[in-house]
Amino acid sequence: MAVRKDQSTLTSTERRDFVDALLGVKRSGRYDDFVRTHNEFIMSDTDQGERVGHRSPSFLPWHRKFLLEFERELQRVVPSVTLPYWDWSRDRTPDSSLWGSDFLGGNGRSRDGQVMSGPFANLTGDWSIDTQVDTRPFLRRALGGGGRSLPTRADIEAVLSVETYDAPPWNSTSWSFRNLLEGWRGVNLHNRVHVWVGGHMATGASPNDPVFWLHHAFIDKLWADWQTRHPASRYLPDTPTVNVVDLDSTMRPWNDVTPRDMLDHTRFYTFDTEPSRVP
Amino acid sequence: MRTRRRFLRGGTAALAALAVAGTTATVHQKEFDRATGKGEGGASRTGSTAGEPFDETYKGRHIQGWPTDHGHHGTGGGYRVLIDGTELHVMQNGDGTWVSLIDHYEVFATPRALARSAVDNLAGADLVPSPEHS
């Protein structure tokens, strides 16, 4: 069974394997399929209309499936690789080893936001930005720009304590675990981290930055943690609801997977904080 | 060239937008004039709940925005924003705040604030026209 680990605990070999797998998927051209898919969903998911990937109950199962598909691509390059997660409530400064030149590389320079160190700096020749929102071909970041700070453990606890998975009107105005985790209401967890990283991570083409996967792997873990904490709570809505993916409706773009199929992550992987299981 | 090819896989409309960028800008300007009552026969839509029109130079960039009758790019939203004549994809949240493709995880009170933030973020770079999607 695959184990997803806290990125700060990876060995130097695991770090190198993960980077090699990312570069391999990029080289194959498949990486940009993921960037493009994410960008298309973020532009079409609206509070007033059909919404699947974001600002809706299926935000969590949609990203769980999206990450599973991406993890499989990584494993086609390096079979032992799993997605690590970034607990930004602990590794909360630009000095973190996450941003080391042997892993995700550092901050963007102030002049144009260009990342100048690490495997994903444009000057390596291995990481051009091919699915763009603007004409700049290099990865950009502005870690903690504008004096922003990452959410704290207390912020996480405040969100995990919410019992109700989601609530009408099932969008960015809902008061619910899902929307507080996504960040459109309350202390703001997921959205705030995108903004803190800045550069591409602040845009609809956010998967251009490999930290996208580590951020969402942690959001995905917080969903699992919430399930453990609230065993009586369930995915909502569980009956057909206009413009929204209910428990047993299929999600685009796959059309063969429902939120129910995604509820139990242990079918696919476990986290390093859980007892290991024999498949 | 790799960049351009990948981007254009998004659809023929994006290809057309690039190929005839000048023409597109002209069409956008006419739309803006009509929507804001500058052009002949145009009714001013000031007061629309979708947001006020604006047209200004901010940090050397020409930013414009105006309410529209119908959604664009499938947003269902009724507002368009241009930066130097290129459309910036924007969306209105259920509480009336706004996001754009450049700042998609941060909300703004008005489309003008969103356009100014996009100019700050672009730091002189040009927007790439958004791919159309079905």
Side-chain angles (χ1 to χ4, degrees), chain B residues 85-131:
Chain B
T86 301
E87 179 153 16
L88 172 65
H89 183 270
V90 304
M91 184 182 290
Q92 189 167 30
N93 300 316
D95 63 1
T97 59
W98 299 82
V99 296
S100 83
L101 193 60
I102 296 284
D103 297 282
H104 220 289
Y105 303 91
E106 188 171 14
V107 303
F108 297 88
T110 65
R112 186 197 299 254
L114 163 158
R116 287 176 172 180
S117 176
V119 167
D120 293 342
N121 183 305
L122 285 167
D126 291 325
L127 280 178
V128 168
S130 295

Side-chain angles (χ1 to χ4, degrees), chain A residues 145-171:
Chain A
R148 294 184 176 89
S149 60
L150 288 164
T152 63
R153 187 68 215 181
D155 293 334
I156 289 175
E157 292 299 324
V159 172
L160 289 180
S161 71
V162 176
E163 277 183 43
T164 305
Y165 177 78
D166 212 345
W170 319 108
N171 64 17

Side-chain angles (χ1 to χ4, degrees), chain A residues 26 29 32-33 36 38-40 42-48 55 111 128-130 132-136 140 148 172-173 184-185 190-191 194-195 201-204 206, chain B residues 2-4 6-7 9-10 73-77 89 91-95 99-107 121-123 125-134:
Chain A
K26 180 70 170 178
D32 279 84
D33 293 338
R36 207 158 28 244
H38 187 271
N39 200 29
E40 286 169 6
I42 217 163
M43 292 201 317
S44 64
D45 294 325
T46 63
D47 276 349
Q48 305 84 2
R55 55 177 74 232
R111 174 156 61 86
S128 59
I129 300 301
D130 300 324
Q132 301 172 308
V133 291
D134 63 52
T135 51
R136 289 171 287 183
R140 292 180 288 110
R148 294 184 176 89
S172 78
T173 68
W184 301 109
R185 284 290 178 272
H190 154 269
N191 282 354
H194 276 275
V195 174
M201 269 290 275
T203 75
S206 47
Chain B
R2 187 161 175 238
T3 294
R4 172 163 287 206
R6 286 209 167 278
F7 177 75
R9 204 184 285 162
H73 288 325
T75 65
H89 183 270
M91 184 182 290
Q92 189 167 30
N93 300 316
D95 63 1
V99 296
S100 83
L101 193 60
I102 296 284
D103 297 282
H104 220 289
Y105 303 91
E106 188 171 14
V107 303
N121 183 305
L122 285 167
D126 291 325
L127 280 178
V128 168
S130 295
E132 299 285 341
H133 54 81
S134 51

Side-chain angles (χ1 to χ4, degrees), chain A residues 28-41:
Chain A
S28 74
R30 288 191 294 273
Y31 194 95
D32 279 84
D33 293 338
F34 286 84
V35 184
R36 207 158 28 244
T37 295
H38 187 271
N39 200 29
E40 286 169 6
F41 273 82

Side-chain angles (χ1 to χ4, degrees), chain A residues 1-252:
Chain A
M1 175 63 74
V3 179
R4 291 191 180 172
K5 301 173 184 172
D6 185 321
Q7 61 80 25
S8 69
T9 69
L10 297 187
T11 65
S12 55
T13 303
E14 287 170 329
R15 286 158 76 90
R16 191 173 57 238
D17 284 348
F18 182 62
V19 168
D20 286 349
L22 284 164
L23 295 176
V25 176
K26 180 70 170 178
R27 207 160 37 238
S28 74
R30 288 191 294 273
Y31 194 95
D32 279 84
D33 293 338
F34 286 84
V35 184
R36 207 158 28 244
T37 295
H38 187 271
N39 200 29
E40 286 169 6
F41 273 82
I42 217 163
M43 292 201 317
S44 64
D45 294 325
T46 63
D47 276 349
Q48 305 84 2
E50 194 179 353
R51 46 199 183 274
V52 180
H54 306 85
R55 55 177 74 232
S56 62
S58 46
F59 168 69
L60 290 170
W62 190 92
H63 280 84
R64 177 165 284 174
K65 175 65 175 173
F66 192 58
L67 264 62
L68 276 168
E69 293 287 309
F70 184 71
E71 193 171 44
R72 283 195 192 112
E73 292 293 340
L74 294 175
Q75 290 165 349
R76 287 172 64 173
V77 181
V78 182
S80 64
V81 161
T82 59
L83 283 178
Y85 61 86
W86 169 33
D87 179 348
W88 23 254
S89 75
R90 287 198 315 193
D91 298 312
R92 47 189 300 108
T93 71
D95 298 332
S96 163
S97 61
L98 172 68
W99 309 109
S101 55
D102 67 331
F103 202 35
L104 298 194
N107 201 358
R109 63 181 176 187
S110 58
R111 174 156 61 86
D112 56 7
Q114 181 169 185
V115 170
M116 301 299 289
S117 65
F120 309 101
N122 185 253
L123 44 83
T124 64
D126 295 330
W127 202 262
S128 59
I129 300 301
D130 300 324
T131 303
Q132 301 172 308
V133 291
D134 63 52
T135 51
R136 289 171 287 183
F138 46 81
L139 179 63
R140 292 180 288 110
R141 292 183 184 133
L143 305 181
R148 294 184 176 89
S149 60
L150 288 164
T152 63
R153 187 68 215 181
D155 293 334
I156 289 175
E157 292 299 324
V159 172
L160 289 180
S161 71
V162 176
E163 277 183 43
T164 305
Y165 177 78
D166 212 345
W170 319 108
N171 64 17
S172 78
T173 68
S174 294
W175 280 94
S176 62
F177 164 70
R178 187 275 310 164
N179 197 37
L180 268 65
L181 178 60
E182 190 171 358
W184 301 109
R185 284 290 178 272
V187 295
N188 186 352
L189 299 184
H190 154 269
N191 282 354
R192 194 188 341 172
V193 175
H194 276 275
V195 174
W196 185 87
V197 176
H200 283 101
M201 269 290 275
T203 75
S206 47
N208 272 313
D209 191 329
V211 80
F212 173 91
W213 309 104
L214 288 81
H215 172 37
H216 271 278
F218 187 56
I219 294 295
D220 182 77
K221 182 177 187 297
L222 292 178
W223 183 23
D225 292 346
W226 175 85
Q227 287 173 310
T228 301
R229 198 168 297 198
H230 303 283
S233 295
R234 55 183 303 175
Y235 181 95
L236 293 172
D238 53 6
T239 54
T241 305
V242 66
N243 287 331
V244 170
V245 182
D246 69 79
L247 181 62
D248 290 307
S249 289
T250 57
M251 297 184 286
R252 289 186 291 113

